[in-house]
Amino acid sequence: MPRNRRVDTQPVYILHTRPYRETSLLLEAFSRDYGRIALVARGARRPNSALHGLLMAFQPLEVGWSGKGEVLTMIRAEWQGGQPLLSGLPLFCGYYLNELLLRLLPREDAHPRLFAHYAKILLSLGHSSLDKVSEADLRSFECALLSELGYGLTLTNDAEGRPITPSVRYRYEIERGSIPLQTGESGSITINGQTLLDISADDYSSPATRLEAKQLMRRLLSYYLDGMELETRKWVRELQEAC
């Protein structure tokens, strides 16, 4: 019989909510020490509930829970403050980060470094303008997520173990790494050596690096998502088409 689990306080961000029964909410949450967890907040939709209006995405919370199954029962939640509300493009980007975590992060697999990285980028998004965000933040988080999941990029050495040469163009094979392009050769993912080194150094100051890093990360994420298109990308595309 499963043992009852109780956690009295834990830093948490809400990734997704949906109604549950008449007055409750079913939550997907990202916790610092327990990873992604499922919680039910009983009575949270009642107007007089202490949880009403508190369980929002992108806001730092201290949460407690207990239970025996996969879905645990929230027993307390307190807002920690300090995070500006997201709107405009930063809000779309926040949903994008959440969808990546929901799609790729296994349940109850702790990633405290990724949690800290996520919190840092949310704060950066909160101070961004409504129509512009830092691409460096998004690429940095994508790389950190893949690394935490064991899918880290090989960036400083090629597939044969030789140091990456900045002036050489490479073909990036997901299961092998970087392979120098031969004259006249092409590949589904090609990238400059300097871009690989810049990604390794978390340096996206070059426009060429930002463009190639975006293309590389899209291919990698599509591969690990088994080709599934993210809903947040559909939203952005539909919004662009409507304007």
Side-chain angles (χ1 to χ4, degrees):
M1 186 174 182
R3 180 173 59 87
N4 185 62
R5 293 176 290 168
R6 182 183 177 96
V7 173
D8 290 319
T9 181
Q10 177 68 197
V12 157
Y13 285 93
I14 303 300
L15 300 177
H16 185 263
T17 67
R18 62 185 176 90
Y20 179 69
R21 296 183 176 173
E22 292 186 3
T23 61
S24 301
L25 285 172
L26 194 60
L27 315 171
E28 288 283 351
F30 183 27
S31 67
R32 185 189 63 197
D33 299 323
Y34 299 87
R36 185 169 68 89
I37 55 173
L39 297 170
V40 60
R42 301 194 185 280
R45 295 164 60 204
R46 292 194 182 107
N48 61 347
S49 170
L51 298 175
H52 187 72
L54 179 66
L55 305 177
M56 298 187 299
F58 317 122
Q59 292 298 310
L61 302 173
E62 287 281 352
V63 169
W65 63 79
S66 66
K68 296 181 180 180
E70 183 179 354
V71 180
L72 305 166
T73 299
M74 180 181 290
I75 55 177
R76 60 176 294 272
E78 292 182 6
W79 180 58
Q80 298 303 292
Q83 170 65 45
L85 293 175
L86 302 186
S87 57
L89 184 58
L91 179 62
F92 277 102
C93 291
Y95 283 129
Y96 170 69
L97 300 184
N98 283 5
E99 189 173 8
L100 286 179
L101 291 171
L102 287 166
R103 300 288 188 188
L104 292 173
L105 200 62
R107 282 262 178 87
E108 299 188 28
D109 189 11
H111 294 279
R113 288 181 301 181
L114 185 64
F115 183 90
H117 203 135
Y118 175 81
K120 178 181 176 182
I121 290 180
L122 285 186
L123 196 59
S124 177
L125 289 174
H127 290 98
S128 299
S129 63
L130 294 179
D131 60 353
K132 188 175 182 179
V133 298
S134 168
E135 289 187 46
D137 284 343
L138 300 180
R139 301 293 85 79
S140 178
F141 182 80
E142 291 164 345
C143 286
L145 175 59
L146 291 180
S147 178
E148 285 285 321
L149 294 174
Y151 304 139
L153 283 69
T154 304
L155 298 169
T156 57
N157 295 87
D158 68 15
E160 302 298 327
R162 296 169 297 209
I164 292 294
T165 302
S167 59
V168 171
R169 192 157 186 85
Y170 292 86
R171 180 178 78 252
Y172 195 92
E173 294 189 3
I174 294 174
E175 299 295 344
R176 293 186 60 196
S178 302
I179 301 171
L181 277 178
Q182 304 300 318
T183 302
E185 185 184 9
S186 62
S188 59
I189 308 177
T190 62
I191 192 165
N192 283 324
Q194 185 60 59
T195 296
L196 293 169
L197 296 174
D198 286 346
I199 296 173
S200 175
D202 210 24
D203 179 2
Y204 298 92
S205 56
S206 164
T209 293
R210 291 197 297 273
L211 176 61
E212 289 196 333
K214 182 177 182 178
Q215 294 170 342
L216 175 62
M217 295 310 300
R218 281 195 174 183
R219 290 294 186 91
L220 290 169
L221 289 169
S222 178
Y223 177 83
Y224 292 118
L225 289 164
D226 293 325
M228 180 189 301
E229 184 177 10
L230 296 173
E231 290 296 323
T232 42
R233 285 187 180 152
K234 292 181 186 178
W235 297 346
V236 172
R237 186 174 63 248
E238 290 169 1
L239 181 63
Q240 291 171 337
E241 291 173 352
C243 296

